[in-house]
Amino acid sequence: MAEKIIALVDGSIYAASVCEHAAWISGRTGAAVELLHIMGRRQGADQQDLSGSIRLGARKRLLEELATLDEQRARVANEHGRAILDDARALVEKAGATEVTTRLLQGDLVETVAELQSETRVVLIGKRGEAADFAKGHLGSNLERIVRVSQKPVLVASRAFRPVNKILVAYDGGASAQKAVDYMAQSPLYQGLELTLVTVGNADAQTQSKLKLAADKLRAAGLQVATRQVDGHPDSALSALIEGEGFDMLVMGAYGHSRIRSLVIGSTTTEMVRSCKVPVLMFR
């Protein structure tokens, strides 16, 4: 089965960016795009159990009206989901993707992503969902759960899409960072783009050696690669590089063995993704 770009869309302001990033990846890799909208279990056709009301003496007519309301809510939720998918499909096709499918499902978002692993090339999700509290800068509630469960790369879309030319790759020599390098070496997505591998902090001889080997592997795949070492804390150092030097995307491993690891495990991870104004592609 050919692997697809799985783009998770909802009614949030980030959905358009998810669609445009999906089209960008599709255009460079030739992969098909599947747009998914997952309705929560309470939004679907399951009817509410009103049997308890009978024991309370409610009249039959009232129960029938409540059942009718349930059916109407389910119908509206389905129509809303379908409208979101139709709009998303129009956006992706307008951005140039030619092979696009949509799927409306009911259930748990994270469980669905896990079930689709075998047919997934990369998962796209917006930084924040429909219910995110923008005043407090909260991330989408499912984002970190999806990153933890997904065996495939997860691209967290920024609020607005912009063409990607320069990519910063946070490299600490860990297994997930190496997985990111292996993936990039094999994917046509990165051909012709400007890549920079960066380590943060005092890299020991072993990390420096791994950094050189990683760069050599990417160059052998025909990619343009530079290497850097910067001081400071990972979150502030990476953010400063992205802002100061105009990088368009951050690639990082979800689990490492150095200070970068703390960016993904624990609250600092959320802070890094929250503060970063470019899309973040994560591997675990």
Side-chain angles (χ1 to χ4, degrees):
M1 179 182 298
E3 293 181 338
K4 294 178 285 191
I5 301 162
I6 301 295
L8 304 171
V9 293
D10 57 14
S12 74
I13 196 170
Y14 283 83
S17 176
V18 169
C19 292
E20 290 176 298
H21 281 95
W24 175 72
I25 295 173
S26 179
R28 294 185 64 85
T29 63
V33 178
E34 179 151 273
L35 299 162
L36 283 185
H37 179 71
I38 314 296
M39 299 189 302
R41 291 192 172 92
R42 297 184 65 182
Q43 291 178 283
D46 292 346
Q47 294 189 3
Q48 186 178 353
D49 181 5
L50 301 172
S51 58
S53 300
I54 295 174
R55 289 192 292 273
L56 294 176
R59 297 179 179 177
K60 181 180 179 182
R61 181 183 58 78
L62 178 58
L63 295 180
E64 291 174 346
E65 289 179 357
L66 290 172
T68 299
L69 284 175
D70 271 352
E71 292 175 0
Q72 291 174 343
R73 280 195 290 265
R75 178 178 55 77
V76 170
N78 274 276
E79 290 179 356
H80 180 244
R82 181 51 57 190
I84 286 173
L85 288 171
D86 289 345
D87 288 349
R89 180 174 192 143
L91 274 173
V92 174
E93 291 179 340
K94 183 180 179 181
T98 57
E99 191 175 349
V100 185
T101 57
T102 63
R103 203 186 311 189
L104 180 63
L105 298 175
Q106 182 183 1
D108 181 82
L109 176 61
V110 177
E111 291 176 2
T112 302
V113 169
E115 291 168 359
L116 296 176
Q117 294 289 302
S118 62
E119 56 187 280
T120 299
R121 183 190 188 102
V122 59
V123 179
L124 274 73
I125 185 172
K127 184 185 292 188
R128 298 187 178 96
E130 289 175 288
D133 186 341
F134 281 83
K136 296 180 180 179
H138 288 172
L139 298 176
S141 59
N142 289 310
L143 191 155
E144 190 166 354
R145 292 175 63 212
I146 287 176
V147 171
R148 288 178 184 279
V149 76
S150 179
Q151 299 296 319
K152 300 299 176 69
V154 177
L155 177 66
V156 182
S158 49
R159 183 163 181 167
F161 173 80
R162 72 182 191 201
V164 178
N165 297 303
K166 294 178 64 176
I167 297 179
L168 186 65
V169 184
Y171 186 84
D172 65 355
S176 53
Q178 189 57 47
K179 184 176 180 179
V181 169
D182 293 342
Y183 179 90
M184 297 174 78
Q186 297 172 10
S187 174
L189 179 64
Y190 307 95
Q191 291 291 335
L193 304 181
E194 184 180 334
L195 308 181
T196 297
L197 292 178
V198 60
T199 62
V200 181
N202 295 320
D204 56 23
Q206 185 180 29
T207 300
Q208 291 180 20
S209 176
K210 288 183 176 180
L211 180 67
K212 181 180 182 304
L213 290 173
D216 289 345
K217 182 166 189 171
L218 293 173
R219 292 186 183 114
L223 301 174
Q224 305 171 35
V225 186
T227 59
R228 296 275 295 273
Q229 184 274 322
V230 296
D231 296 324
H233 295 285
D235 50 354
S236 57
L238 293 175
S239 295
L241 267 181
I242 292 167
E243 292 288 328
E245 301 189 17
F247 285 96
D248 305 308
M249 179 182 288
L250 172 65
V251 176
M252 61 186 300
Y255 298 96
H257 64 250
S258 71
R259 283 190 292 173
I260 290 178
R261 176 178 183 177
S262 65
L263 291 174
V264 177
I265 301 176
S267 59
T268 313
T269 302
T270 307
E271 174 59 25
M272 183 64 200
V273 177
R274 187 195 67 79
S275 62
C276 197
K277 296 180 181 178
V278 299
V280 181
L281 182 62
M282 289 190 279
F283 293 79
R284 65 176 290 268

